[in-house]
Amino acid sequence: MSKPLISALAQFAAATAGRNMTKAAYVAVIVGVLSMVLLTDNRAREARGWVDALLWTCLAYFVFEWLVRLRHMARSGRLALYMSSSAGIVDAIGALAVPAALLLGVEPKTAWLLSVLWVLKVVPGIPGLRQLRRVLVLESGPLVSVLVIFLMVVFLASVAEYFLERDVQPQTFGSVPHALWWAVVTLTTTGYGDVVPVTPLGRVVAALVMISGLGVFGLWTGILATGFAAETRRDNFLKTWESVSKVPFFATLGPAAIADVTHMLRTIELPARTTIIRKGAQGDCMYFIAAGEVEVDLPGKKVQLGEGAFFGEMALLGNNKRGANVSTTKVSRLLVLDLVDFRVLMARHPDLAETIDAEAKRRALENK
Amino acid sequence: MSKPLISALAQFAAATAGRNMTKAAYVAVIVGVLSMVLLTDNRAREARGWVDALLWTCLAYFVFEWLVRLRHMARSGRLALYMSSSAGIVDAIGALAVPAALLLGVEPKTAWLLSVLWVLKVVPGIPGLRQLRRVLVLESGPLVSVLVIFLMVVFLASVAEYFLERDVQPQTFGSVPHALWWAVVTLTTTGYGDVVPVTPLGRVVAALVMISGLGVFGLWTGILATGFAAETRRDNFLKTWESVSKVPFFATLGPAAIADVTHMLRTIELPARTTIIRKGAQGDCMYFIAAGEVEVDLPGKKVQLGEGAFFGEMALLGNNKRGANVSTTKVSRLLVLDLVDFRVLMARHPDLAETIDAEAKRRALENK
Amino acid sequence: MSKPLISALAQFAAATAGRNMTKAAYVAVIVGVLSMVLLTDNRAREARGWVDALLWTCLAYFVFEWLVRLRHMARSGRLALYMSSSAGIVDAIGALAVPAALLLGVEPKTAWLLSVLWVLKVVPGIPGLRQLRRVLVLESGPLVSVLVIFLMVVFLASVAEYFLERDVQPQTFGSVPHALWWAVVTLTTTGYGDVVPVTPLGRVVAALVMISGLGVFGLWTGILATGFAAETRRDNFLKTWESVSKVPFFATLGPAAIADVTHMLRTIELPARTTIIRKGAQGDCMYFIAAGEVEVDLPGKKVQLGEGAFFGEMALLGNNKRGANVSTTKVSRLLVLDLVDFRVLMARHPDLAETIDAEAKRRALENK
Amino acid sequence: MSKPLISALAQFAAATAGRNMTKAAYVAVIVGVLSMVLLTDNRAREARGWVDALLWTCLAYFVFEWLVRLRHMARSGRLALYMSSSAGIVDAIGALAVPAALLLGVEPKTAWLLSVLWVLKVVPGIPGLRQLRRVLVLESGPLVSVLVIFLMVVFLASVAEYFLERDVQPQTFGSVPHALWWAVVTLTTTGYGDVVPVTPLGRVVAALVMISGLGVFGLWTGILATGFAAETRRDNFLKTWESVSKVPFFATLGPAAIADVTHMLRTIELPARTTIIRKGAQGDCMYFIAAGEVEVDLPGKKVQLGEGAFFGEMALLGNNKRGANVSTTKVSRLLVLDLVDFRVLMARHPDLAETIDAEAKRRALENK
């Protein structure tokens, strides 16, 4: 191959090796899965050639990605770790499943179905998945109980229904497995309507099952909601914690105060050139800069504020019309302090409030 | 046109120009959309003439409204801003969509369908929409994860189902797109029943999908519930905050106390001549007047209370039968303090409690 | 009529007049409605005579009840108030609806259908209905927004679906009203399956509608959950508040402490001769007697404890096996203090904890 | 029988007698119920012999279990108590239901259906069931109201629907019972589609019912979520409470502090040889050992930590990369303190924080 191409590939490989999901990977997953879907659709028969091409390309990419990673890991001596990690397994499946099936002489149209497993590659990229998993783990106890109750109701109901309906509709309620199918469809309130009780008693049982369905739903959601509330609080604290310690402004505070403050702040990540405050808008929070830089667009001059600085405090000191446009100049992480929390903070740590007050006054004079 | 008519129109235009939704606009939306609905219904064929008339009237109104606003904005030099704002775009669509379609020679019955877009005009008028949007934004992270998980389940399940059912029911599971349709219908627990697995294994997969459906539901709701709780607290604080500062009674308090109090108060807006307290009723809260005026209907005389005054405090000082009727004389904004919070307040800010106590005693004597 | 019968009736009337729902009324509602249901069922044709008899009896009872109340209210000069109250209107409907229909020559079977309105009489008797209503009122803002959004989605989706499906299935999607029906059935995830899109695009729109359905669900529930949490806290405080003040034991506390304590206690109402504590059971809470009396079944002797006394405190002082059976001797209202809250209480109000401690020691000695 | 067999049986009996669910019991329940399910399935006809054998074996086991327990209880003089307890009744049913049916000459295939009752044996083994029950009890008030409202809507809607649809579809809406079936299916949003209104008015009523369905759902869930949040907090406190008192480290604290700490800790039970901390991982919590022992795998040497010791504190003192692998050596109960709570604790109880700090420093030096 020509030199430039090789170097380009090398570069691409390097990019691929490290990160978990490159843009290319996302594209490949989406294109690949959609082509697989088209492949099975007869209306797309004439486009068959293109679809095949796309599928092979995606497959090639994933094989390439996998090999690059294997090499990368082998070099950094983490090969075993990688291959036993979920990511490693998913990569391997993504690269080998389809070829393996084709080699084993599975009919192509069927073999390509395995390419749906590529969606698994997206998992590590899902935002806040860790959070969801934690909730499920912490609440697993009650969730399992609900599941067990769910199954008990399903079994009891289906046997009862089978007993009541088998003679009237031997086709649909001819055996307990059939009745089980009905029970699940009903208890989840899906209600296909392919299997429906017709005897009065059978319908009474069904009604009870449906109402229990609501109950199961309710418990399930209640549990998750509770777990989620706790997790959110915790997660937000962790996110904010590091940032706070980076803001010199808070350094003066004791650990107690910092813990307090951290609970009150909310972290937001912003790309460059994003408007944070629009002049004249209603303001109900102030911002601290944990990382990055913002530009305050004052009449006549533009002021840059860097890490550790704060702005938008006017809104919290009586005047709640924003006085100037503020926007980021580079990627920035900001800590948001809502009015509601500012008042509480003010109460608990007057010194902090005074600092803000003083600074605000100073700026007001300056901008006179 | 005759003078009076013109002036009336001018007046009407003025009213229209400013506010976002006039009563007329609401009427036009409802009438317009309903007529459009009727238009497609054959049973209403004989009323066709009337329906057309109504549709044209509504359209005329929206065109008029749009022109008036354009003129108004142009005059106040906010034309560009308005035309790029969502409200401006909605107005434009409302005024131009249908005529454009008709001019392009689209069959009238079809062209008029576009008048359904008029419902978008209601959006800015929806109460608490801002709040909903904020919740969705703040919780977007987890919500997106749930959505991604939802899609992954849909794809994996539909391919599995297609593989298991395609031979048995080529009509309904003949391709993955068909199976996808089934998966969405099932995972949302909608369950039309037009596509239903019949093979034992297919039904097992379906059962798992339905149960995941409950899970998705639960997570989704849990996330929103959490976000909503936080948002409500915040929103209520902001609403109350301004009012509190307007009540001289609280002015004596330090910022800490004010923050406290604000958390405890609930703001309610009342029209004129509304009864707030009915004599003899069970009382469990007291009221502060942030704006407006109320009238206490004491035996013999009527007492007016204006901004900053409070009433209903007896209920919180042991005697919880209301002693007199109280009703607003003009539109008023009241701050409600529940018994539960009053006790806490009493504990944290004895001075405040004493003031209330003293005032209560004074009144008791007075009304002897 | 014979004297005793009259006096009995008078007595019965007296009972009826005052209370909102007598046992008799409940029976009448249930019997009446069920008979009405039977009346329409052909399988119950032979029992027709009995059913009619029952219906007439119930009707007679409700008429009687209504007249008695009218008389009662007239005497106590609250006639107008009663007749304009919801209870009064419901009573009137219950008594007059069916006869009116019969007099107007409506076919009996149809006229009797009106007796379903009798169920409305149950409303005032529903426990915690007040609480539910309050939640709905306080959260009405966001709930209405969700409803409006719901309707907007319904209209937009149904027009889109009508446009996409009308040519393929003129029967089911022949007009927007038909499509509206489909949209509601889908967005509520009910999914009858009588109207189902078949075109690819139509199904994509439908999928979006279903997912929005989950969203609507989630928001709705989230809002109600939030409102409910707040309301429960408030409601419980009010219930407990009165009781606490009645327990001399807490009288020594200042208002601050009382507010604290009230937040921690839970009120429970118990009938006579109910076992509260079973010897040897795991104990994690103590009880204060707000009203009534309990009997502690100690080895050898039985000790009565009356209003203001407490028991079960051992569980909170290290030893969490219950030492004796405790049961109510008369209808009692108890305040429950959980271990979790006891520790906090102990921390905030040592004096209180000491009193309990001392009393516990005294008893321990005594029962040696 | 041969001696060893007898002794083995005796041993097995002993094991069975005491515990509520032995592994054997779980197996028997699952095997038994599944065989019963198979029994009704014609596809499994040829395996009939095996299925029967399995069923009889399970039955034999349950009879054996029941007798053993009866004997055990009789000996410890708790026979009456056991037989009246729910567990006792379930055991009796499990042992007697099927034989009784067979003796009464019920056709075997039907008689064996009763073996589904064996699933009830699982109930006491469900984790966190107590917790669920408590929530249902505490929230019973509102839950019942929702249920009553549910029933009222069902009755009113079904009568209305019956009145509107009976002439058009006498088959499906021929009587109120039929309409009731429709109402339940609709209000629970199950929507089989076997009974569907077709008249315009009928569909409007149905739409309202569906929307109320969402409401019922929402309320139901909201109530349960609220109850659950309260219960979780309480339950966790109780679980942790005992452990805390067992950790000498906390003994120095006053009751107030202990209550505080207990609220912050989370208990986790771990089997032996489980890795708790993986070197290099992100750390956001520290651990206290309430029971058991862990091994810290330091470079060069392995350090054992026993009851009362703590580890992982580095993560909370700035450095949040884990420094070493830590795993349990025996079954252990650990108390987890999250970073978020550690900061608060540090603030409220500086002394405690110092102890941890000091210990951390000591270790750091040691491991130099």
Side-chain angles (χ1 to χ4, degrees), chain A residues 145 152 163 166 175-176 182 186 189-193 196 203 210 214 217 219 221-222 226 234 237-238 241 256 259 263, chain D residues 33 40 110 116 123 126-127 181 188-192 194 217 220-221 224-225 228-229 266 284 338 340-341 343 347:
Chain A
S145 340
M152 281 176 56
F163 178 72
R166 62 180 171 182
S175 71
V176 173
W182 164 83
T186 304
T189 75
T190 307
Y192 282 134
V196 180
R203 290 183 161 186
M210 290 171 204
L214 296 197
F217 245 5
L219 280 172
T221 315
T226 309
R234 185 176 168 295
F237 186 91
L238 289 175
W241 179 253
H263 272 303
Chain D
V33 171
T40 65
T110 309
V116 74
V123 173
I126 300 176
W181 167 247
T188 56
T189 75
T190 306
Y192 282 134
D194 57 336
F217 246 4
W220 203 284
T221 315
L224 290 169
F228 216 85
R266 206 172 64 244
D284 54 25
D338 280 332
V340 41
D341 301 313
R343 309 314 314 197

Side-chain angles (χ1 to χ4, degrees), chain A residues 277 285-287 310-316 322 326 363:
Chain A
I277 293 180
C285 59
M286 73 177 287
Y287 302 83
F310 60 82
F311 58 92
E313 73 288 349
M314 291 302 182
L316 282 57
R322 295 297 193 186
V326 181
R363 291 186 189 174

Side-chain angles (χ1 to χ4, degrees), chain B residues 9-155:
Chain B
L9 252 177
Q11 221 170 335
F12 185 54
T16 312
R19 257 164 316 119
N20 206 322
M21 283 291 284
T22 57
K23 278 213 184 50
Y26 278 112
V27 175
V29 168
I30 292 163
V31 172
V33 171
L34 291 185
S35 336
M36 179 274 291
V37 170
L38 274 180
L39 194 66
T40 65
D41 192 343
N42 296 330
R43 281 163 303 185
R45 209 187 290 85
E46 62 285 349
R48 190 64 191 276
W50 291 102
V51 174
D52 278 342
L54 283 171
L55 279 169
W56 282 105
T57 326
C58 296
L59 179 57
Y61 172 77
F62 289 124
V63 173
F64 166 76
E65 182 190 58
W66 185 52
L67 295 174
V68 168
R69 287 209 180 131
L70 283 178
R71 180 150 147 292
H72 175 76
M73 295 298 176
R75 279 187 177 168
S76 53
R78 288 176 293 152
L79 191 55
L81 187 69
Y82 168 70
M83 288 182 72
S84 63
S85 74
S86 59
I89 294 162
V90 169
D91 288 347
I93 292 173
L96 304 179
V98 178
L102 288 170
L103 290 177
L104 293 171
V106 178
E107 189 241 336
K109 207 170 154 189
T110 309
W112 280 112
L113 289 180
L114 290 168
S115 60
V116 74
L117 296 170
W118 292 342
V119 296
L120 295 175
K121 285 175 156 291
V122 181
V123 174
I126 301 176
L129 186 67
R130 232 191 84 283
Q131 206 174 343
L132 288 183
R133 203 186 297 115
R134 265 188 62 91
V135 172
L136 293 177
V137 170
L138 289 181
E139 299 294 335
S140 52
L143 286 176
V144 167
S145 342
V146 175
L147 200 60
V148 174
I149 294 167
F150 178 92
L151 290 175
M152 282 176 56
V153 176
V154 163
F155 272 96

